[in-house]
Amino acid sequence: MGGVFLGMPGTWAGNMHEAADHYTTKIGGLPDWPIPLPSASVDLFKCSSCRSDLSLLAQVYAPIAHKSLNIEERVIYVFCCLMPKCGSSTVSWRALRIQKSVNSEGLKSQSDKAVSSSASLSSSDSLEEDDDEDDDDIDLAELGRALSEAASLASQSKKQNRGRKLTAKTSSPVCADRVIDKKLPVVPCFYIYAEEEKFSKNDASVCSKNISSPIKDHESDPDTKEETWEVEDYEYDRALNADRVYLKFKKRVDAYPEQCFRYSYGGRPLLASEDAGDPGMCRLCGAARQYEMQLMPPLLYFLQEAVSEKEKHALDNWNWMTLIVYTCSQNCSNDNSSDDGWTVAEEVVVVQYE
């Protein structure tokens, strides 16, 4: 397992409906689909709480390049509900994985070249795939070269007045035509570039000796009942552990205060609280889900700076600390995939609140 790559804020899009392609990693705007979605998938874009239309929160181009698996066409989409009452609901968030089957004809167009990547970002930057723990034969220098190669193979940068977007490879599928419904709420759109996290274990450690105990030694009070002390001791241990979890989270955020999301395919989530949640099993194949990415609190700040008064009211009810996305560990394809091998799979968003 390699390091963690951070999604950092780039330039704002020229407008919230600015078109790009599915190789673009961005926050907000409209989703750039690699294929026209089937009509049966319409229900995926309805809030499970209020049935309102969901809005795109993040789009991450996330190919996989491992010795045992190579999926070049793969995108993760995270959706949210902008209705004020749904901001604190766990069922108002949705993640989709759209990918082209490994066995699909034409997938190998560029995969024979040694590209180790996990997400392509705006301009010449890209978010790299972390190798498995067993794949320790790639160093950071090689990873850096792969970054540049992946970006040049996957897309070509194109600057606009106030933003940047990517154009698809000539050998890649044409992006699906979009229909713009201006009545639908849209999250402000800006593009993302990658930065590898540099953070030592020593920096992340939280020493218990620096946290003073509010509980006095029960032996100093002979009238204290043993049962009462055991309860207090247990509660203190829980509080102390919770403090450690949160302080570790805060330190990692403070080290990169502009990080909008963290990406570490198959890695470990950075928890904000002890309750890690249960991502469950893949609905398509029954395999365990694994961590892939998570959205971070600084994202809220950038969105608050750009939204209209109407959307700002909705964002005021977003009291999450992090949104953790888990995906199928087998990257399965379903039997109902399109004729050209594309699969649309619903994944899981685990929400940790303040």
Side-chain angles (χ1 to χ4, degrees):
M1 180 58 219
V4 175
F5 288 87
L6 307 176
M8 307 296 285
T11 57
W12 290 97
N15 61 76
M16 293 194 299
H17 300 99
E18 183 172 276
D21 56 45
H22 66 283
Y23 301 110
T24 305
T25 292
K26 65 181 184 179
I27 297 297
L30 296 178
D32 301 297
W33 304 115
I35 55 169
L37 296 184
S39 58
S41 64
V42 172
D43 195 57
L44 290 174
F45 307 105
K46 296 290 185 180
C47 175
S48 298
S49 177
C50 70
R51 305 304 298 170
S52 298
D53 292 302
L54 296 176
S55 302
L56 179 69
L57 182 57
Q59 171 181 304
V60 178
Y61 173 54
I64 296 174
H66 284 316
K67 294 177 180 178
S68 59
L69 181 64
N70 193 319
I71 305 177
E72 186 178 351
E73 303 287 349
R74 184 174 181 273
V75 191
I76 303 297
Y77 299 89
V78 181
F79 292 88
C80 63
C81 181
L82 291 179
M83 294 295 102
K85 62 182 180 180
C86 292
S88 58
S89 173
T90 59
V91 297
S92 297
W93 312 89
R94 182 159 292 148
L96 296 182
R97 168 176 54 91
I98 298 184
Q99 68 183 47
K100 193 171 185 179
S101 172
V102 180
N103 297 323
S104 298
E105 185 177 356
L107 181 62
K108 291 183 60 181
S109 60
Q110 299 291 344
S111 63
D112 290 337
K113 298 185 179 182
V115 180
S116 177
S117 62
S118 65
S120 178
L121 304 183
S122 63
S123 188
S124 61
D125 298 300
S126 62
L127 194 62
E128 274 305 291
E129 169 75 52
D130 295 322
D131 280 359
D132 289 332
E133 291 180 355
D134 296 334
D135 298 338
D136 55 1
D137 55 343
I138 183 169
D139 56 21
L140 291 179
E142 183 179 352
L143 191 61
R145 289 192 296 271
L147 278 166
S148 299
E149 186 178 358
S152 62
L153 289 175
S155 59
Q156 178 182 359
S157 64
K158 180 180 178 182
K159 292 187 177 180
Q160 296 188 344
N161 290 337
R162 290 187 56 209
R164 294 175 288 183
K165 70 176 184 179
L166 300 180
T167 55
K169 298 174 292 185
T170 55
S171 60
S172 298
V174 177
C175 292
D177 294 333
R178 65 166 72 191
V179 177
I180 298 177
D181 184 353
K182 295 190 175 181
K183 295 181 180 180
L184 297 178
V186 180
V187 175
C189 181
F190 61 89
Y191 299 99
I192 293 292
Y193 71 92
E195 184 171 340
E196 184 182 8
E197 184 183 46
K198 305 289 186 182
F199 204 82
S200 68
K201 292 183 178 180
N202 291 333
D203 293 333
S205 64
V206 179
C207 298
S208 60
K209 65 180 181 180
N210 293 329
I211 306 177
S212 59
S213 171
I215 304 175
K216 295 181 180 181
D217 188 350
H218 71 291
E219 293 181 355
S220 63
D221 186 357
D223 296 329
T224 302
K225 295 182 179 180
E226 184 66 24
E227 292 78 11
T228 303
W229 163 251
E230 289 177 353
V231 172
E232 291 177 340
D233 191 29
Y234 171 73
E235 293 296 332
Y236 170 65
D237 287 342
R238 288 189 59 189
L240 181 60
N241 191 56
D243 285 342
R244 286 174 174 155
V245 171
Y246 174 74
L247 288 177
K248 178 182 178 181
F249 180 85
K250 185 176 184 301
K251 279 195 171 186
R252 301 294 274 269
V253 174
D254 290 345
Y256 292 87
E258 292 187 339
Q259 60 181 290
C260 294
F261 66 78
R262 303 168 64 83
Y263 190 98
S264 182
Y265 179 79
R268 295 181 180 180
L270 179 63
L271 300 179
S273 65
E274 285 187 283
D275 185 9
D278 180 14
M281 301 296 181
C282 176
R283 296 181 180 179
L284 294 182
C285 69
R289 288 193 174 99
Q290 66 181 9
Y291 171 78
E292 183 155 349
M293 61 171 288
Q294 65 189 106
L295 299 171
M296 301 297 286
L299 173 60
L300 294 173
Y301 168 79
F302 294 113
L303 294 181
Q304 287 279 7
E305 291 295 303
V307 295
S308 65
E309 288 300 321
K310 181 180 179 180
E311 280 81 24
K312 183 173 290 187
H313 180 60
L315 265 60
D316 285 340
N317 292 312
W318 284 12
N319 59 345
W320 52 266
M321 290 294 293
T322 184
L323 304 174
I324 307 175
V325 178
Y326 293 88
T327 58
C328 176
S329 59
Q330 300 301 311
N331 281 285
C332 65
S333 299
N334 60 18
D335 296 333
N336 298 321
S337 59
S338 61
D339 293 337
D340 54 357
W342 288 93
T343 292
V344 179
E346 182 178 2
E347 300 293 2
V348 165
V349 179
V350 172
V351 187
Q352 290 197 318
Y353 292 101
E354 295 178 354

